Amino acid sequence: MPHIVERKDRPAHRRSRWIVLAMALLVPVAGWSVLHIELENDIHSWLPADDPQAFLFEWSKEHFPSDDNLLISWDGSSLDDPRLERLRDQLAGVADAQGVRRGGLNQVASVLSPHDLIERMESQGVARDEALRRTTGVLVSSGPLKIRLTAAGRRDATGTRDLLVRQVRKTLDYDVRAAEPGPHPHASASNDAPAYDFEIIWRGMHLEPDTVDKVRELAASLRTGGEVLVDDCFFIPGAPVALSVVLTESGGATPKETVQAIRQAAVAAGIDADSLRLGGRVVTGAELDREVNSTIWNSEAPWWPLHKRSLLLLSALVSVVLAFVMLRSVRLALLVLFVANFATLQAMALVPMTYGSMNMVLMVMPTLLTVLTLSAAIHVVNYWKHAACRDYRTAVAESFRMARQPCMLAGLTTAIGMVSLLTSPLTPVRDLGLYSAIGCLISLVVVLFGLPALLHFWSGPAPREADLDASRWARLGAVLNRRWKIASAVCLAAFALGAYGLTHFQTEIKVIRFFDGDSRVVEDYDFLEENLAGLVPVEMIVRFDGEAQQELDFLQRMELVRNVQNRMRRHPEISGSLSLADFMQPHQPPDAESSLPSRLAWNRRLYEMERRIKDPQVGAAAFVSTVRRTVHLQTAHDRSVTIHQGDELWRITAQVAMLSDYDYADLTGDWNNPRSKPGDLNRVALAALEGQPGVDHMLTGMVPLFLRTQQAVLESLIRSFGLAFGVIAIVMMVLLRNPWAGALSMLPNLLPVVVVFGAISWAGLAIDMGTMITASVALGIAVDGTLHLLTWFRAGLQAGCTRHESILRALGHCGPAMWQTSAAIALGLLVLIPADLLLISRFGWLMAALIFAALIADLVLLPALLAGPLGGLIERTYAAAAPESEADDVSEAVACPALVALPAPSPAAAGGFE
């Protein structure tokens, strides 16, 4: 059929003019839409409402407040630092005589200071030193380890200090640092702050209590002349300290503005901006958005060097320059680049038009569509070059006929692969599948109709036959024809090694790992978690049913919860925790010999205490709640719990480190899961609650929710990749009319993913969400090249060529386009390596590696397979299925020189997909 731009009923230039005009009108509309894209990286809301962990989290919020908290500290902070209360007033405002809040930030709902916690505990009879101990690891730090020397040690205090440091470094391999005692800025932390001679600190000291015990033992063993040198090693809690800020709904929804307002408030309170330390979900969200935007366009950076102004623009410029060099024509390069960016722009414009937003998952879509469109466009341009050498007047229609079937098959199969993402329960993954599938169809239409229309107006002069220079591809084809066994063996050996490497596959689920280790947000997190508290909350909910409430009185239930909490505190990943038990002084119940009046008085006090604590107006009610309705919960894996109306719930909130290498799955693994390791929080709770009928526990909070969300993302991507691979394999089997041939043809499509992901898994690099998404891109690129090469190989067989001659012809037609696409895109992506955001940097080099691996798979492994068993299967299948008349239709190509222009593939050559 004639191309739309060459219909006989209307002039060709008129058809092309309307197409080009429509494209020109769509550019500003799409551009305006793209400018209104919003970033949304709040991953804790990605899970569907019916997910067990999400349902548990929402259910717990019905009974306990679950606020969006932000932790604030600064270098040199302490309990008696006047800036602590000044900053609190700047953030939360000050209540007037009528209790009305004056001042403060609109983004802040409330602020909790260490003094608030300590005063609440003291009001219940808890001693100040004990209150300090209970708040340590939550809002107060225990500070460096204080060393007090004996008289023998003080005779040469400097020498003793240096000896201890050397011994710790040599024996325990800790990077310990020593400092002289300061002026005790936090002396008010304790009524009797003991004197000491110097203090030491090392990385992981507060997160790993065992290291402190080892240092104490080593210090106690130091002697000279038989005399002990160290008298004692102890902590003095009180510096640094932090404020816990609860954000309003608007504050959590606008992370950038919230963080900026808090920084300004800190400066107004007298805190140096460079010493301020912030941590929390809002902080990482704001920093993630800032890093992404600065990669796209950093308005604060100078115009030169360009990589600081816009790394993405530099990457695009590199691809543009390479496209010029590869295509050897400024006009053709500009057309190809315009088409690729036009299709991507139209697809991206759909996101804000449909009230969507960009996120870490959807961020891969622009690269996917640009690469696929650019690949198809370069193939069309190369087909035009071949056709223009024969007949310039019909070159546009001829290039359309050459490209129609392979481009349609590649576009549709990639779209099918993207549609497989719709099976995911996660909204961002489904969005990626939907928008990318639509984008693939837009790309297909633009390449098959928009690009020929542009070529009709502005293609330039016809290239010379010599400019096509297919001799290098003929040499490659000749080598592969002779050495196909060696080439296949080498590629399959790499495939096997990569597959073995996948046995070391591990995932990374912590967003903080997306940032460079030298970035400000990582430095702040490191300071807060090393000196104060973990920044990710995990909540243990202990349930007492009606029977347990009858068996145990209120104080007995509280002591049971205190036992669970104390065991949790000993876990090396828990920096600190809070529960109602922290605000209550242990009470001694009357014994069996007590008088009846004393026992009655005790029962009255218990009843009054329980009634007052459960009063919603009392702050302690945030730690104890009564179930209002019966509900069935699936807490984790296969463990189910039925919560009945009237059951009593106690909450323990613990803080977990974000920067730790500890696997959250081990921390929150379910007790009846055989893969769960001893020592996790579920096993800790079971040990504490053992033998107590009617008492159960559940884990919720951001740690389990965050873990489940990221695991669901990775599981969805892996499952959808497998589904897409299976669908494409079926398409290849139908196309090649042979299931074995279709299965073999999928090896080049799978090779890039297996080899590259196997290599990085073997190297010990974890696979994160951004890394996993690249597998779908690599599959699309490899399938595109495979379909083009197979189409021309089959066309060669139809033209009467031998199998080896058909390989040379296919490489001559497709090799230049594959090489040009891969070089232009991959080298452009390598420019992203210096990006400060590791998510972008890793995406750049990984995509480049996958593209080059796909190029080798299509230009080396696939021709080698065609020269061997795959080609034999296709040849026999074609010979058995082709009717006699089909051979007569191609009888003109009796002499089949390997590098002469080949007629466009017929419908039969494409497996009947016309």
Side-chain angles (χ1 to χ4, degrees), residues 437-494:
I438 296 174
C440 288
L441 299 180
I442 292 174
S443 170
L444 182 61
V445 172
V446 171
V447 167
L448 291 183
F449 296 99
L451 181 56
L454 292 168
L455 283 170
H456 185 85
F457 277 110
W458 205 54
S459 57
R464 296 173 301 171
E465 188 80 32
D467 293 338
L468 299 180
D469 187 21
S471 59
R472 70 188 69 179
W473 303 106
R475 289 194 293 270
L476 174 62
V479 171
L480 292 174
N481 275 327
R482 293 194 307 269
R483 301 284 189 267
W484 68 267
K485 291 183 179 179
I486 296 177
S488 300
V490 170
C491 291
L492 293 178

Side-chain angles (χ1 to χ4, degrees), residues 618-869:
V618 179
F623 293 103
V624 181
S625 177
T626 301
V627 176
R628 295 184 287 272
R629 61 186 176 90
T630 299
V631 65
H632 179 76
L633 297 175
Q634 187 172 354
T635 60
H637 303 290
D638 297 325
R639 183 174 174 230
S640 300
V641 177
T642 299
I643 310 295
H644 298 279
Q645 183 178 356
D647 287 356
E648 187 178 80
L649 306 176
W650 291 63
R651 179 173 74 167
I652 305 170
T653 301
Q655 299 301 123
V656 181
M658 174 73 87
L659 289 174
S660 170
D661 292 330
Y662 195 84
D663 190 348
Y664 283 168
D666 294 336
L667 183 69
T668 63
D670 194 51
W671 66 275
N672 62 356
N673 176 21
R675 296 175 298 174
S676 181
K677 296 181 179 180
D680 63 19
L681 297 186
N682 281 298
R683 292 182 184 272
V684 165
L686 276 176
L689 301 175
E690 186 178 6
Q692 295 292 337
V695 184
D696 207 342
H697 75 280
M698 292 157 285
L699 271 180
T700 184
M702 288 309 300
V703 169
L705 188 71
F706 187 65
L707 174 66
R708 170 64 190 134
T709 300
Q710 301 241 38
Q711 283 179 336
V713 171
L714 290 170
E715 289 169 2
S716 296
L717 292 172
I718 294 171
R719 183 174 60 251
S720 63
F721 176 83
L723 181 59
F725 183 84
V727 170
I728 294 172
I730 294 173
V731 171
M732 298 298 290
M733 292 175 185
V734 174
L735 174 66
L736 299 177
R737 305 176 184 176
N738 187 305
W740 293 109
L744 275 177
S745 68
M746 290 302 293
L747 278 175
N749 301 326
L750 194 58
L751 179 71
V753 176
V754 171
V755 169
V756 174
F757 277 79
I760 61 177
S761 298
W762 213 339
L765 300 178
I767 309 297
D768 56 44
M769 289 185 298
T771 305
M772 191 62 228
I773 294 171
T774 59
S776 298
V777 185
L779 183 62
I781 297 168
V783 167
D784 182 74
T786 299
L787 285 169
H788 280 281
L789 202 68
L790 284 175
T791 299
W792 285 99
F793 173 76
R794 288 168 57 84
L797 295 178
Q798 180 188 358
C801 300
T802 65
R803 194 199 317 173
H804 293 174
E805 289 169 340
S806 298
I807 292 172
L808 300 186
R809 284 171 169 266
L811 285 173
H813 274 279
C814 303
M818 293 181 188
W819 160 249
Q820 290 158 6
T821 302
S822 300
I825 295 296
L827 294 178
L829 287 170
L830 287 176
V831 176
L832 297 177
I833 290 179
D836 292 332
L837 189 63
L838 291 183
L839 180 69
I840 295 176
S841 174
R842 190 183 298 123
F843 179 80
W845 65 257
L846 182 61
M847 272 304 307
L850 285 167
I851 288 173
F852 277 122
L855 178 67
I856 293 172
D858 282 332
L859 293 182
V860 177
L861 177 58
L862 182 56
L865 292 175
L866 290 174

Side-chain angles (χ1 to χ4, degrees), residues 498-507 757-758 760-767:
Y500 178 75
L502 289 175
T503 59
H504 302 282
F505 184 90
Q506 53 184 330
T507 59
F757 277 79
I760 61 177
S761 298
W762 213 339
L765 300 178
I767 309 297

Side-chain angles (χ1 to χ4, degrees), residues 270-323:
I271 300 170
D272 182 65
D274 293 334
S275 69
L276 188 67
R277 309 291 185 177
L278 303 177
R281 183 194 63 83
V282 172
V283 176
T284 53
E287 190 66 15
L288 190 62
D289 291 349
R290 189 191 69 81
E291 290 284 4
V292 171
N293 287 326
S294 65
T295 302
I296 299 172
W297 187 260
N298 187 1
S299 58
E300 299 177 358
W303 276 96
W304 189 258
L306 185 59
H307 72 275
K308 293 185 178 179
R309 186 72 173 188
S310 175
L311 203 57
L312 199 63
L313 177 60
L314 179 61
S315 173
L317 286 177
V318 170
S319 296
V320 168
V321 172
L322 288 171

Side-chain angles (χ1 to χ4, degrees), residues 3-4 19 23 335-336 338-344 369-381 383 396 399-400 403-404 406-408 411 439-455 784 788:
H3 189 260
I4 189 172
I19 293 175
M23 294 175 70
L335 291 181
V336 164
F338 172 77
V339 166
N341 287 285
F342 176 81
T344 303
L369 295 178
T370 301
V371 170
L372 295 177
T373 309
L374 193 63
S375 175
I378 290 179
H379 276 291
V380 172
V381 165
Y383 294 160
V396 173
S399 62
F400 167 76
R404 180 178 55 191
C407 285
M408 286 185 66
C440 288
L441 299 180
I442 292 174
S443 170
L444 182 61
V445 172
V446 171
V447 167
L448 291 183
F449 296 99
L451 181 56
L454 292 168
L455 283 170
D784 182 74
H788 280 281

Side-chain angles (χ1 to χ4, degrees), residues 519-663:
S519 64
R520 178 58 190 268
V521 65
V522 174
E523 289 180 357
D524 287 358
Y525 267 65
D526 187 54
F527 173 87
L528 292 170
E529 294 191 340
E530 279 290 322
N531 296 284
L532 273 158
L535 293 173
V536 188
V538 59
E539 295 181 356
M540 176 78 73
I541 297 179
V542 180
R543 176 187 66 114
F544 297 90
D545 65 10
E547 179 186 353
Q549 294 176 57
Q550 292 292 330
E551 182 72 21
L552 303 170
D553 62 38
F554 186 77
L555 286 182
Q556 288 174 324
R557 300 197 295 273
M558 184 176 70
E559 290 306 314
L560 196 59
V561 171
R562 192 195 303 273
N563 184 26
V564 175
Q565 182 184 5
N566 288 337
R567 289 171 180 261
M568 289 176 63
R569 276 179 173 151
R570 290 197 290 270
H571 195 287
E573 292 302 309
I574 301 295
S575 65
S577 63
L578 276 179
S579 74
L580 178 64
D582 286 317
F583 297 89
M584 305 293 291
Q585 184 71 7
H587 293 75
Q588 186 64 36
D591 54 28
E593 299 179 358
S594 300
S595 64
L596 178 62
S598 63
R599 289 199 296 272
L600 290 175
W602 170 260
N603 290 334
R604 282 197 302 271
R605 284 198 301 272
L606 282 182
Y607 172 79
E608 199 58 34
M609 181 188 301
E610 182 175 356
R611 185 193 62 79
R612 183 172 59 85
I613 285 175
K614 290 184 177 180
D615 186 343
Q617 302 300 321
V618 179
F623 293 103
V624 181
S625 177
T626 301
V627 176
R628 295 184 287 272
R629 61 186 176 90
T630 299
V631 65
H632 179 76
L633 297 175
Q634 187 172 354
T635 60
H637 303 290
D638 297 325
R639 183 174 174 230
S640 300
V641 177
T642 299
I643 310 295
H644 298 279
Q645 183 178 356
D647 287 356
E648 187 178 80
L649 306 176
W650 291 63
R651 179 173 74 167
I652 305 170
T653 301
Q655 299 301 123
V656 181
M658 174 73 87
L659 289 174
S660 170
D661 292 330
Y662 195 84
D663 190 348

